[in-house]
């Protein structure tokens, strides 16, 4: 609204898989981001979902290699998000 107050509902879903913890062997500082979060919020009649693409972490933490693990994390995140969309 125009008064700057958010009136919708927000839910934060923690997301952690074996692949996420495997990232520590690539770059330990990436564990600052764990567990990953999936954000779901409603504003009026609209529902929104947001999450960090794991490829962003590759650049932020300058991860060398580990592309296969990052790819698996993204596939898992997208699967969870798609399931959430289907159940609403």
């Amino acid at each position: 609204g125009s008064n700057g107050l958010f009136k919708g509902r927000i839910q934060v879903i923690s997301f952690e898989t074996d692949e996420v913890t495997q990232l520590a062997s690539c770059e330990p500082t990436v564990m600052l981001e764990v567990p990953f979060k999936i954000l779901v919020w409603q504003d009026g009649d609209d529902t929104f979902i947001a999450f960090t693409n794991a490829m962003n972490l590759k650049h932020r933490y300058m991860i060398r290699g580990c592309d296969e693990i990052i790819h698996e994390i993204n596939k898992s995140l997208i699967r969870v998000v798609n399931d959430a969309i289907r159940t609403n």
Side-chain angles (χ1 to χ4, degrees):
S2 58
N3 62 359
L5 293 176
F6 180 77
K7 292 183 173 60
R9 292 184 2 196
I10 299 176
Q11 183 172 5
V12 180
I13 302 161
S14 292
F15 175 85
E16 193 166 356
T17 65
D18 290 340
E19 289 94 5
V20 172
T21 48
Q22 286 174 29
L23 269 182
S25 64
C26 307
E27 175 51 57
T29 57
V30 79
M31 299 314 279
L32 289 167
E33 303 284 341
V34 175
F36 291 165
K37 292 170 194 69
I38 301 171
L39 193 61
V40 182
W41 73 97
Q42 286 181 301
D43 194 359
D45 293 334
D46 296 320
T47 300
F48 303 91
I49 296 179
F51 62 95
T52 299
N53 182 312
M55 285 306 279
N56 293 348
L57 300 179
K58 181 177 174 70
H59 302 296
R60 186 180 313 154
Y61 292 94
M62 293 178 266
I63 299 171
R64 303 278 174 249
C66 291
D67 288 356
E68 188 57 39
I69 294 172
I70 290 170
H71 181 66
E72 288 302 316
I73 291 169
N74 274 339
K75 280 189 354 193
S76 297
L77 275 165
I78 290 166
R79 200 174 306 121
V80 169
V81 167
N82 283 338
D83 287 347
I85 292 169
R86 265 190 231 98
T87 57
N88 282 330

